[in-house]
Amino acid sequence: MKKILVLLGMAVLAIGITSCSKQKTSAADAGSLVVYGSCEEEYLSAVCAQFQKLTGVKTSYQRLSTGEVLTKIAEENGNPSADVWFGGTTDPYNEAAAKGLLFPYNAKNASHIVGQQFKDKDNNWFGIYRGILGFFWNTEEIARLGIEPPKDWDDLIKPQYKGLISFSNPNTAGTGKLIVNTMVQMKGREQAMTYFRELDKNISQYTKSGSGPSKLVPTGEVVIGIGFLHDVVYQIVDNGYTNLGMAAPASGTSYEIGATAIFKGAKNIDNAQKFIEFALSPDCVNLAQDNGSYQFLVIDNAKDVQAAVDAGLDKINTINYDFEDAKYHTSEYVQEFFKVISDDSRVQK
């Protein structure tokens, strides 16, 4: 299969700003809000529609991967075309914070966040959910090939998995950045890059979005994926796939914090602050599991995500992920990742 790699500098897809609701409201009186969303669009659309319904604020959104949002707001440099960011893993949020692109806000509803690790210490971003990084595979293809599914990170570099694996491009997806950071933190920088050089030999596709592998594995286009296990739960619960297996790496794994933040220079700052309070409330986060998102929630006054509990995701132990290291060093780790895999002549440039 061809290896697909979207390199840094690719043009952001021209996706039109999408209206979240056709309901008639007092939006003209309440002002407007523009959201860049990096969660799945079904959840994003429901969130924006609910915010507009509750507040009367005319709300529109654009769905972009976290890497695309980071690139876009960096280029806009303090004059963003959106007001808030919703969803997607925090490594790109931390990069944006380190570059001074986010607006700190002392949110009242942050008092419901269950731990200090689920918010930025300077109030640049706030966590809304947690997702576990792991492996998943097509059980039919694994059986047809006569191989065992991977149990740990080092299994993935075995020759038997050549051309069978997919994970997301760290330039365009926060999930890919998290995978890079996780290996650096678990193995050390030098050993992690040696690992990625070997793993690249087994990669079929580097997908644009973090959820991409979970969409390719059920159909057999890819046999093994690396990504968030709640995306696999979605494929099982919502799309009815019965040919999926999944596991957390035996030696340990990390987790994402899906976040929300205000952009520095937001034109609708009052409505942006209202949105953050909404995002940290049950009115928002309880919409997730009704709209195909099965991550664990990180506020104490919302209902449990039963599908995630049923899948055993609450039993998985995670490493003590160093968010501060990720905040200041992700970009250099990602650059080094691309340097080591570009030595392979099979990478499309």
Side-chain angles (χ1 to χ4, degrees), residues 137-139 141-150 159-162 164 223-224:
W137 54 87
N138 185 305
T139 55
E141 287 298 300
I142 288 285
R144 182 182 67 81
L145 294 167
I147 57 178
E148 293 293 320
Q160 67 190 32
Y161 297 129
K162 185 177 179 63
L164 302 183
V223 178
I224 298 167

Side-chain angles (χ1 to χ4, degrees), residues 113-273:
I113 294 175
V114 298
Q116 287 300 306
Q117 70 271 34
F118 298 120
K119 64 180 287 292
D120 178 66
K121 63 183 179 63
D122 298 317
N123 293 326
N124 285 295
W125 57 260
F126 303 94
I128 48 178
Y129 57 75
R130 180 172 68 100
I132 307 296
L133 192 63
F135 313 141
F136 42 92
W137 54 87
N138 185 305
T139 55
E140 296 166 338
E141 287 298 300
I142 288 285
R144 182 182 67 81
L145 294 167
I147 57 178
E148 293 293 320
K151 296 181 175 63
D152 210 347
W153 293 105
D154 286 347
D155 290 341
L156 296 175
I157 63 175
K158 292 179 178 178
Q160 67 190 32
Y161 297 129
K162 185 177 179 63
L164 302 183
I165 300 173
S166 175
F167 75 88
S168 56
N169 179 355
N171 269 339
T172 59
T175 309
K177 295 179 191 293
L178 180 64
I179 293 168
V180 171
N181 282 329
T182 298
M183 289 296 92
V184 169
Q185 293 187 24
M186 291 184 69
K187 293 177 174 294
R189 184 169 181 169
E190 185 175 345
Q191 288 188 6
M193 295 307 157
T194 299
Y195 173 81
F196 284 124
R197 182 180 288 110
E198 293 302 307
L199 179 59
D200 180 64
K201 298 173 183 177
N202 291 346
I203 296 296
S204 168
Q205 296 188 38
Y206 292 99
T207 61
K208 176 172 171 282
S209 71
S211 62
S214 71
K215 299 170 183 176
L216 299 174
V217 169
T219 62
E221 186 173 347
V222 167
V223 178
I224 298 167
I226 309 170
F228 292 119
L229 298 182
H230 58 257
D231 289 330
V232 185
V233 174
Y234 173 81
Q235 295 298 334
I236 295 169
V237 174
D238 286 53
N239 289 339
Y241 285 107
T242 59
N243 61 342
L244 290 171
M246 61 178 173
S251 62
T253 190
S254 62
Y255 60 93
E256 70 161 339
I257 300 173
T260 188
I262 300 173
F263 295 124
K264 182 179 179 180
K267 297 175 180 62
N268 301 294
I269 190 67
D270 289 342
N271 287 335
Q273 292 175 357

Side-chain angles (χ1 to χ4, degrees), residues 12-91:
V12 173
L13 289 179
I15 305 171
I17 294 289
T18 306
S19 175
C20 293
S21 173
K22 295 182 179 179
Q23 299 180 42
K24 291 183 179 179
T25 70
S26 57
D29 298 326
S32 61
L33 185 80
V34 180
V35 181
Y36 284 161
S38 300
C39 57
E40 291 302 302
E41 188 156 359
E42 183 180 355
Y43 180 32
L44 174 62
S45 176
V47 165
C48 291
Q50 181 71 349
F51 180 70
Q52 178 167 308
K53 179 180 178 181
L54 292 175
T55 64
V57 174
K58 184 179 180 181
T59 307
S60 58
Y61 72 81
Q62 188 172 8
R63 201 287 171 192
L64 297 166
S65 70
T66 49
E68 289 175 314
V69 174
L70 180 60
T71 299
K72 192 171 180 64
I73 63 168
E75 290 173 349
E76 292 172 339
N77 194 25
N79 186 32
S81 51
D83 302 298
V84 295
W85 195 354
F86 182 82
T89 188
T90 46
D91 285 339

